[in-house]
Amino acid sequence: MTAWLNVVGIGEDGLSGLGGEARRIVLDAKVLIGGQRHLDMIPEVAMQERLQWPKPFSSAYEMVLAWRGVSVCVLASGDPMMCGVGVGLWRLVDPEEIRVFPAPSSFSLAAARLGWPLQDVVLLSVHGRPLTTVLPHLRLGARLLVLSENGRSPAQLARLLAQRGFGASRIIVLERMGGIAERRLEGIAEDWPYDDCADLNVTAVACRAEAEAGWAETQARVWSSLAGLPDEAYQHDGQLTKRDVRAMTLARLAPKPGEALWDVGAGCGSIGIEWARSHPSCCAVAVESDVSRGLLIERNRAALEAWGVKLVIGRAPGVLEGLEAPDAVFIGGGG
């Protein structure tokens, strides 16, 4: 099947910044889809239908697929395969149906502005994700590039850093990179002076500890991603797999990227949580019959950023019926 769907990354320099083939595809498409900001960059073309992304975005992919077989061009910011719409579209169509034309990503532009080698930087997005996504990556000396949700994200991030002992971190906000309105804002997290910025921004963070906080104290506020967290990391009622046993258990379970765990009789959820924290693509089902312990699991999941853990309240084995098959099973309390 001939490619009918083209995803074109576009920067703040608009149509003039595109290569010849990408420019031709944009202008020749029967249907042009994108945000209003991107559509405004493209001159009107006779007989071309223009569609804005729907609100909420949840029906966007369905809207694109409804034009299957018609020449469709989707406009995206920068590199569509870097935290972008190209990733989702590629999963929904056969490879021969789609082509992607990337522009420099916001991360690439930011690294070029700052002189930060990308291979040494942690790349994160809080666009449509909790701001606390950054927490597992905080450590002294780390450099982060964070794609913001909106213009308030940098100030929210600055407050979060200060709360976690990284108030001395240097923050640089890069707005509208590549366009005539490009701007750079700098400051220290604990004294960040800007409540709002342009919605289109990347926030760079050079992690430093507060002057009055020692290395050990600062690191104590950021949990390791390795198995065997301190017992005090968890809220529990006594039903907790203790630290050393937990570390050995996770070593035996040996989670690999993309794998799923059933934690049956989860207690406060420690095994499933540490499984999910081992890799962003790992997930776990925490099965617990006690409702009050289910609340503990939810609190621990939020506190430790283990969003890959799903809570199921009920008694095994009956409640396991219909759950997606796991790669590993841990049977805890009541086993």
Side-chain angles (χ1 to χ4, degrees):
M1 184 175 183
T2 304
W4 59 272
L5 176 58
N6 292 281
V7 186
V8 176
I10 191 168
E12 286 292 295
D13 49 0
L15 192 66
S16 63
L18 299 181
E21 186 175 8
R23 189 182 303 117
R24 178 188 60 76
I25 286 169
V26 170
L27 297 176
D28 290 351
K30 298 296 183 184
V31 181
L32 187 65
I33 301 175
Q36 189 59 57
R37 181 175 67 87
H38 288 146
L39 293 174
D40 289 342
M41 297 176 177
I42 310 302
E44 295 283 348
V45 176
M47 307 298 291
Q48 185 181 72
E49 183 156 4
R50 294 176 169 224
L51 301 173
Q52 289 187 52
W53 290 122
K55 295 182 180 180
F57 191 78
S58 55
S59 60
Y61 295 133
E62 182 180 338
M63 181 180 77
V64 173
L65 294 178
W67 292 94
R68 195 180 215 121
V70 177
S71 174
V72 175
C73 177
V74 170
L75 298 176
S77 294
D79 185 349
M81 300 302 292
M82 174 66 78
C83 304
V85 69
V87 178
L89 289 171
W90 190 273
R91 293 172 179 157
L92 297 174
V93 298
D94 292 332
E96 62 268 20
E97 295 183 74
I98 184 172
R99 292 186 298 174
V100 177
F101 296 82
S105 70
S106 296
F107 293 137
S108 293
L109 291 173
R113 301 293 190 272
L114 300 170
W116 288 8
L118 272 177
Q119 68 269 18
D120 299 331
V121 178
V122 179
L123 307 179
L124 300 167
S125 174
V126 296
H127 188 75
R129 299 174 175 86
L131 188 69
T132 49
T133 299
V134 305
L135 291 179
H137 305 280
L138 296 182
R139 58 176 177 80
L140 299 180
R143 287 177 170 179
L144 317 179
L145 289 176
V146 184
L147 183 63
S148 292
E149 170 73 12
N150 52 45
R152 297 182 298 279
S153 297
Q156 294 167 351
L157 179 57
R159 288 193 292 271
L160 183 63
L161 290 168
Q163 291 167 6
R164 293 303 179 109
F166 287 86
S169 298
R170 180 182 173 219
I171 293 179
I172 305 170
V173 176
L174 300 163
E175 301 177 343
R176 298 185 175 280
M177 288 180 287
I180 59 173
E182 180 171 334
R183 186 172 67 151
R184 175 174 174 150
L185 305 173
E186 298 189 46
I188 301 300
E190 60 192 355
D191 299 317
W192 184 250
Y194 307 100
D195 291 331
D196 208 355
C197 308
D199 284 339
L200 190 65
N201 75 78
V202 169
T203 303
V205 180
C207 293
R208 298 173 185 164
E210 296 169 2
E212 65 274 15
W215 182 89
E217 180 184 346
T218 301
Q219 289 300 95
R221 306 186 200 184
V222 181
W223 301 115
S224 170
S225 61
L226 296 178
L229 295 180
D231 292 346
E232 57 266 28
Y234 294 96
Q235 296 184 43
H236 61 90
D237 61 359
Q239 288 295 316
L240 171 69
T241 304
K242 298 302 188 287
R243 183 178 192 176
D244 291 342
V245 175
R246 193 180 336 119
M248 290 188 290
T249 299
L250 266 296
R252 287 290 189 178
L253 290 170
K256 294 185 282 293
E259 290 191 333
L261 171 77
W262 284 357
D263 182 5
V264 183
C268 71
S270 62
I271 295 294
I273 285 171
E274 296 197 19
W275 172 284
R277 294 179 84 250
S278 69
H279 192 273
S281 63
C282 284
C283 61
V285 176
V287 178
E288 176 55 54
S289 61
D290 188 295
V291 174
S292 62
R293 287 177 182 156
L295 294 175
L296 290 174
I297 292 171
E298 289 182 333
R299 292 172 192 158
N300 289 326
R301 174 179 61 186
L304 294 168
E305 307 301 316
W307 303 111
V309 175
K310 175 185 177 182
L311 174 62
V312 173
I313 297 293
R315 186 171 295 278
V319 75
L320 304 177
E321 187 71 29
L323 296 181
E324 184 175 347
D327 297 288
V329 178
F330 176 73
I331 301 176

